[in-house]
Amino acid sequence: MRRKIVAGNWKMNGSKDLVQQLVGVICDHAGSLDAGAEVVIIPPAPYIPLVQQRADGKLAIGVQNVSQWQSGAYTGEVSAEMARDLGCWYVLVGHSERRQLFGESDEVVARKIGRVLESGLTAVLCVGETLDQRDAGEAEQVVAAQIQKGLASVTGEQWSKVVVAYEPVWAIGTGKTATADDAQAMHAAIRKVLEGMNAPAEEISVLYGGSVKADNAAALFSEPDIDGGLIGGASLKADEFISICRAFPAGA
Ligand code: PEP
């Protein structure tokens, strides 16, 4: 049975005050968030210990990026082992902002996936097409290639530590969301690609990301192949984020 997950990616936003306030409010509601869904906070790396302290075991914590290397003379990098040492469970890999702004190729993404899985953490592989690619009818092909290359070296039991986040680039931070039908169609296609890689496709959580808000989360989370969301902007607003965490259909 695959997990339901709502993960809040704070990107490069936040402060010590925001951690105290936002994590405090979310934790106050922790008991009434969807009991079946895991709630994950993914703050900027320096705030991880503070989030952890404030969350006091009520929320899972992730990191937005790790190095493709294990350790050594790589100034400015943070390793997957360090994230594990800090108590993180999840690592975002290949977010479209990393691909676009920092030139991360599928090969780099694959190396990072390797590091994350070796360290025993769960990798959240982010994939998604640009608007031009969608308009050209290439969306499924682009996403399939990102999955096949990014997860090429995943083996056997490691699949239990893989989550895929479908995030159409044109929907991230733009206020435009894929319709629930379009998102469902892509999620079903992603499961087929995973099946083709001999992965336990039915067991792998596939999240949707891209302008998810309190008012569109329920429609998205009702789709059979959408197992939750990766939330950017709305994860910085306590009310919105809490509503999104409660948007799964009853009994899901
Ligand atoms: C994201 O950054 O992963 C994201 C989905 O952002 P937003 O929700 O702001 O579109």
Side-chain angles (χ1 to χ4, degrees):
M1 178 70 176
R2 54 194 189 240
R3 275 166 299 163
K4 304 278 176 194
I5 300 169
V6 177
N9 171 18
W10 290 8
K11 311 193 189 200
M12 200 173 71
N13 295 297
S15 63
K16 289 192 286 183
D17 284 350
L18 184 100
V19 170
Q20 295 297 353
Q21 195 210 341
L22 184 54
V23 177
V25 178
I26 296 168
C27 284
D28 286 347
H29 291 80
S32 63
L33 301 179
D34 189 289
E38 175 142 61
V39 178
V40 187
I41 301 292
I42 312 179
Y47 295 125
I48 289 170
L50 205 56
V51 171
Q52 205 166 32
Q53 204 177 31
R54 192 75 179 90
D56 197 21
K58 293 184 180 128
L59 306 169
I61 296 167
V63 63
Q64 297 174 14
N65 176 45
V66 292
S67 178
Q68 61 183 298
W69 295 290
Q70 211 158 18
S71 66
Y74 301 107
T75 301
E77 292 283 85
V78 171
S79 72
E81 274 301 323
M82 290 169 187
R84 192 176 72 103
D85 202 22
L86 282 175
C88 292
W89 291 1
Y90 291 88
V91 183
L92 296 185
V93 184
H95 190 283
S96 64
E97 287 152 16
R98 302 285 326 163
R99 293 178 191 261
Q100 290 192 324
L101 302 173
F102 301 93
E104 282 190 13
S105 63
D106 286 321
E107 290 67 32
V108 169
V109 167
R111 283 200 283 277
K112 291 186 177 196
I113 293 279
R115 292 275 97 86
V116 173
L117 297 178
E118 276 162 27
S119 71
L121 299 180
T122 294
V124 182
L125 172 68
C126 303
V127 296
E129 80 286 358
T130 62
L131 192 55
D132 283 352
Q133 289 165 333
R134 175 155 282 261
D135 288 346
E138 295 166 357
E140 286 193 11
Q141 200 183 318
V142 166
V143 167
Q146 288 172 339
I147 292 173
Q148 284 158 345
K149 290 180 187 167
L151 300 177
S153 58
V154 179
T155 55
E157 299 199 342
Q158 288 183 330
W159 284 110
S160 67
K161 300 276 189 179
V162 171
V163 171
V164 175
Y166 169 56
E167 300 204 298
V169 177
W170 48 269
I172 296 182
T174 59
K176 293 181 194 153
T177 320
T179 64
D181 281 353
D182 283 350
Q184 164 57 28
M186 182 61 89
H187 282 229
I190 287 172
R191 242 178 260 291
K192 284 252 168 334
V193 173
L194 291 168
E195 241 172 64
M197 298 173 75
N198 290 324
E202 285 303 318
E203 305 298 315
I204 295 175
S205 301
V206 184
L207 313 182
Y208 171 80
S211 298
V212 177
K213 302 213 164 40
D215 62 9
N216 58 24
L220 289 159
F221 295 176
S222 300
E223 295 294 339
D225 285 296
I226 300 182
D227 303 310
L230 180 54
I231 321 299
S235 70
L236 293 162
K237 298 175 194 150
D239 290 356
E240 281 277 319
F241 189 64
I242 288 166
S243 300
I244 292 168
C245 293
R246 290 177 173 152
F248 291 95

